[in-house]
Amino acid sequence: MYFDSLGIHIGPLYLRFYGIILVTGAMAGGWLAAVEARRRGQQPEHVWDALVWLLIAGIAGARLYHVLTPSPSMMPPGTPNPYFSNPVAAFQIWNGGLGIPGGVAGGTFALWLYTRRKGLQFMEWTDIAAPGLLLAQSVGRWGNYINQELYGSPTNLPWAIFIEPQYRLVEYIDYDTYHPLFLYESILNFLGCLLLLWIARRAADHIRIGDVFIAYLVTYPTIRFFLEFIRLDYSRLANSNVNQSLSVVVAVTAATLLWIRHRHRVKPSSPKRTQNIKS
């Protein structure tokens, strides 16, 4: 057994750190979801029963999203999608390329199938899963650090990270240090996880079933929207940033849905003050 910069060699097996970190994130998210399920009076066993299926569907969705929206470093302007000419490469997930929007969509679909089969309330379980999903994303982003990907624009800030020349974009080959974009997202995802937990606990009397997951659909796309401004190798469609455009649509739609769900709520009336009349 020996190690290299990307993984562990055990005989004929090669365990990539990227995969180990993703699985660790999934387990952390599953643990938090189990805690939330127990707190809500649900059976935490459902979390572990569903987790494998959510992972399979999530990875499939994440890979499909990447295949349909490859980055410019893989598909320069004016060139065809490389996966269309080599479909086999689309299944080689060990070569990298997973898109979180597709992963969330795939996992959510798998959760819908699971809850329907078990006779569970789908929206309640999305609320249970949402904080754990952000925790899993927070941990999983460290896999990008191992692969020296998801870095931002060049910078000389004290916390800048060094990117080896073979992982740099051609137009930035002369720059050594960059914004640790993966770290920014990891920290913000963790804070988003805490926010959703706070909403689920402290605002329990003021929210409806499904609100926590809808809040996730506001929180993460908002994080992603702002971080995309310093991302270099972002997917493009008609000269626009695909992830940033999608983030705006999802965040605005989710925020509007939250407003619609709560606009007719009647605020508890405060007790009327009695007027003291002097005799």
Side-chain angles (χ1 to χ4, degrees):
M1 181 177 70
Y2 65 95
F3 299 82
D4 61 26
S5 62
L6 297 178
I8 308 171
H9 296 263
I10 306 177
L13 297 178
Y14 184 41
L15 301 179
R16 289 182 175 270
F17 293 133
Y18 182 79
I20 294 172
I21 291 172
L22 289 184
V23 171
T24 301
M27 296 301 292
W31 167 80
L32 183 56
V35 170
E36 278 294 282
R38 187 179 294 109
R39 185 183 68 83
R40 291 168 175 261
Q42 299 291 338
Q43 297 179 8
E45 291 78 12
H46 284 303
V47 173
W48 304 113
D49 290 344
L51 185 59
V52 173
W53 300 105
L54 266 64
L55 278 174
I56 294 174
I59 291 174
R63 185 60 175 177
L64 179 60
Y65 184 86
H66 168 75
V67 167
L68 295 177
T69 61
S71 59
S73 61
M74 297 185 61
M75 189 181 71
T79 62
N81 189 314
Y83 295 108
F84 293 168
S85 58
N86 183 20
V88 175
F91 298 94
Q92 298 172 346
I93 61 174
W94 54 88
N95 287 332
L98 296 175
I100 286 180
V104 173
T108 302
F109 178 69
L111 180 60
W112 176 78
L113 290 177
Y114 180 85
T115 54
R116 185 177 183 183
R117 179 184 176 189
K118 295 292 185 178
L120 302 172
Q121 191 170 25
F122 169 64
M123 291 306 296
E124 181 174 10
W125 280 89
T126 61
D127 284 347
I128 290 171
L133 177 57
L134 272 177
L135 178 60
Q137 291 175 222
S138 177
V139 175
R141 276 306 183 196
W142 284 88
N144 299 124
Y145 173 69
I146 296 296
N147 287 351
Q148 295 196 52
E149 58 190 9
L150 197 65
Y151 52 86
S153 54
T155 182
N156 291 319
L157 290 170
W159 56 83
I161 55 173
F162 175 79
I163 299 296
E164 296 179 9
Q166 64 267 32
Y167 297 109
R168 301 173 194 168
L169 299 177
V170 174
E171 56 268 39
Y172 294 95
I173 194 66
D174 294 329
Y175 295 91
D176 292 333
T177 56
Y178 300 78
H179 279 285
L181 194 58
F182 80 92
L183 177 61
Y184 299 160
E185 186 169 327
S186 178
I187 293 172
L188 291 173
N189 283 344
F190 182 72
L191 294 176
C193 170
L194 296 180
L195 173 64
L196 295 190
L197 289 175
W198 181 87
I199 291 173
R201 287 163 166 76
R202 299 297 182 183
D205 294 336
H206 305 284
I207 61 176
R208 301 172 61 179
I209 292 176
D211 279 352
V212 177
F213 179 66
I214 298 173
Y216 166 87
L217 295 178
V218 176
T219 303
Y220 178 69
T222 300
I223 292 171
R224 189 66 179 265
F225 173 80
F226 286 105
L227 291 182
E228 287 289 325
F229 281 111
I230 60 172
R231 184 170 182 169
L232 298 177
D233 197 22
Y234 59 83
S235 301
R236 295 180 174 90
L237 180 62
N239 294 323
S240 66
N241 185 320
V242 174
N243 292 321
Q244 198 169 45
S245 300
L246 180 62
S247 295
V248 171
V249 172
V250 173
V252 171
T253 301
T256 302
L257 181 57
L258 277 177
W259 176 74
I260 292 173
R261 283 164 64 93
H262 291 274
R263 63 176 175 171
H264 294 308
R265 289 190 61 127
V266 179
K267 295 181 180 180
S269 57
S270 57
K272 295 181 180 180
R273 294 182 180 179
T274 58
Q275 184 175 4
N276 293 325
I277 303 177
K278 294 182 179 180
S279 56

